[in-house]
Amino acid sequence: MKKSIVVLAAVVFAISAVAAFAATDALVGACIYKFDDTFMTGVRNAMRAEMERQGGELEIVDSQNRQPMQNDQVDAYISKGSNALIVNPVDRTAAEPLMNKAKAEGLPIVFINREPYAEVMNAYDKIWYVGAKAEESGTQSGQIIVDYFKSHPEADKNKDGKIQYIMLRSEQGHQDAVLRTEYSTQAMKDGGFEIVELGSDTANWDKVQATDKMKGFISAVGVDNIEAVLANNDDMALGAIEALKAEGYNLGDASKYVPVVGVDATAPALEAMSKGEMLGTVLNDADNQGFAAVKVAVIAADGGAVTEESIGYKITDGKYIWIPYRPVTVENYKEFMK
Ligand code: BGC
Ligand code: CA
């Protein structure tokens, strides 16, 4: 009896020693381009959850969509002695000075969601990028429209064999906006459809701006002539749906429906899918992007080697962690609801 207690105590001690050893005391400083972004809020929550598991300290600040403010925030993290940085740049074309600040201190820096140019990524050895291949999401969202038109001949409302669509884009400098637009239209063509763009405009990833733009398109071309809406993200897709609902569309009457697809698989988008208001989306895996960014930052901060084994994610060219996208349709959307 006594002996087993001693053994048990030894085991408990050993386990807690391992746990104590495994926990990090790294201080990681993170900047998010703006807090008021649905998708990045998901990434932020995942980052916090991962750091909770790791035991270190994670500070996250809002760069309020201002690059100069973000540059100052990085300076502040450096002067307070942060051990690694995670940066979601406001402007991905302005990542170089941030890389240089980190490099001057030998600090690891992990960029997320907005990909710095290759020459910036190649100018330092303690730099990583965690994101997703925008091309994939474009192709998958276009494919959802193709599948819908193939299984619903009535979707071709004017019976001309072509898809008359609206494109809601985002800012020109963002790789996700440019590539999703390009690859989603390409997927419709590759699916065997001729396509006619009835309207295309930027709504800056934003739901309210998208509702406004969609109202403008509806009054310009007539809601009955719109056969599909593709949006670079879910917030803009949901904005377009608001405008359609205001016309009595996408409220359950099958003869008054416009298929709308987005990207992200945010909770409100999955909800809209469950109500039949939205056709589909593509999972932009906020959880795994957030987890991976923190794992890389902590291991690098602690001076460890960032490898596929140490982080548990595939690494390309030594510094890119690409988290796969997945199509989300009426068949599988429930899997993604939390
Ligand atoms: C997401 C958008 C988000 C943007 C922010 C994209 O990957 O799909 O929803 O607004 O990143 O940079
Ligand atoms: Ca048509």
Side-chain angles (χ1 to χ4, degrees):
M1 184 63 176
K2 219 180 192 171
K3 196 177 169 199
S4 61
I5 289 174
V6 171
V7 169
L8 185 66
V11 169
V12 169
F13 178 76
I15 290 173
S16 50
V18 167
F21 179 73
T24 178
D25 57 5
L27 169 62
V28 175
C31 302
I32 300 296
Y33 94 98
K34 66 170 187 175
F35 276 10
D36 181 22
D37 178 287
T38 311
F39 172 73
M40 287 312 304
T41 300
V43 175
R44 222 169 359 119
N45 292 338
M47 286 165 58
R48 286 202 193 289
E50 180 60 29
M51 192 54 112
E52 208 131 292
R53 284 191 283 272
Q54 300 272 345
E57 204 185 316
L58 174 67
E59 211 179 299
I60 311 183
V61 292
D62 183 355
S63 303
Q64 296 178 23
N65 216 10
R66 279 146 53 193
Q67 193 58 58
M69 173 182 251
Q70 183 168 73
N71 297 354
D72 292 346
Q73 291 167 336
V74 166
D75 288 336
Y77 279 141
I78 291 173
S79 51
K80 70 152 65 161
S82 303
N83 309 112
L85 302 167
I86 297 178
V87 181
N88 170 213
V90 174
D91 175 0
R92 76 181 186 114
T93 68
E96 188 171 15
L98 300 178
M99 177 276 292
N100 279 326
K101 287 176 199 287
K103 189 177 178 182
E105 304 289 325
L107 269 187
I109 185 163
V110 184
F111 285 96
I112 57 172
N113 173 259
R114 294 170 167 213
E115 185 188 343
Y117 289 147
E119 56 264 33
V120 175
M121 292 298 298
N122 291 331
Y124 182 34
D125 56 344
K126 289 191 215 163
I127 188 171
W128 291 269
Y129 177 71
V130 177
K133 287 269 184 204
E135 299 88 331
E136 266 179 3
S137 55
T139 303
Q140 292 177 8
S141 64
Q143 188 62 45
I144 292 173
I145 293 290
V146 167
D147 292 344
Y148 182 76
F149 270 72
K150 289 196 168 153
S151 57
H152 293 78
E154 75 281 8
D156 181 14
K157 291 173 180 157
N158 63 355
K159 304 277 169 252
D160 67 350
K162 304 175 187 172
I163 303 176
Q164 275 76 17
Y165 71 95
I166 299 285
M167 179 69 70
L168 290 167
R169 297 178 278 111
S170 192
E171 83 253 38
Q172 200 50 38
H174 199 308
Q175 78 282 343
D176 288 349
V178 177
L179 295 170
R180 285 175 189 165
T181 302
E182 182 185 335
Y183 280 76
S184 59
T185 47
Q186 189 59 44
M188 292 191 285
K189 292 190 223 161
D190 292 347
F193 288 94
E194 268 189 65
I195 56 174
V196 182
E197 187 176 85
L198 296 180
S200 168
D201 205 346
T202 172
N204 297 308
W205 305 116
D206 184 82
K207 183 176 172 183
V208 174
Q209 289 184 42
T211 302
D212 277 359
K213 294 282 154 91
M214 189 65 193
K215 284 191 166 157
F217 290 133
I218 289 173
S219 47
V221 305
V223 68
D224 294 325
N225 296 317
I226 301 171
E227 295 179 342
V229 177
L230 293 97
N232 287 169
N233 78 342
D234 282 348
D235 272 2
M236 295 191 292
L238 292 167
I241 289 169
E242 286 308 308
L244 290 167
K245 282 160 75 177
E247 301 289 320
Y249 272 67
N250 294 39
L251 289 167
D253 175 351
S255 71
K256 288 185 158 193
Y257 177 73
V258 177
V260 179
V261 292
V263 174
D264 283 339
T266 60
L270 297 170
E271 173 79 20
M273 286 182 68
S274 76
K275 291 196 259 172
E277 296 172 358
M278 179 160 162
L279 175 66
T281 184
V282 173
L283 173 71
N284 189 8
D285 193 340
D287 281 352
N288 279 306
Q289 290 177 40
F291 299 162
V294 169
K295 285 194 166 134
V296 172
V298 165
I299 287 166
D302 289 344
V306 176
T307 64
E308 296 191 353
E309 294 68 38
S310 66
I311 65 165
Y313 290 90
K314 193 171 160 12
I315 304 177
T316 307
D317 297 335
K319 42 182 70 171
Y320 290 91
I321 293 95
W322 298 115
I323 305 295
Y325 282 106
R326 285 177 63 193
V328 180
T329 62
V330 70
E331 279 91 46
N332 68 349
Y333 74 91
K334 288 198 180 109
E335 269 178 52
F336 302 93
M337 290 180 122
K338 287 184 187 166

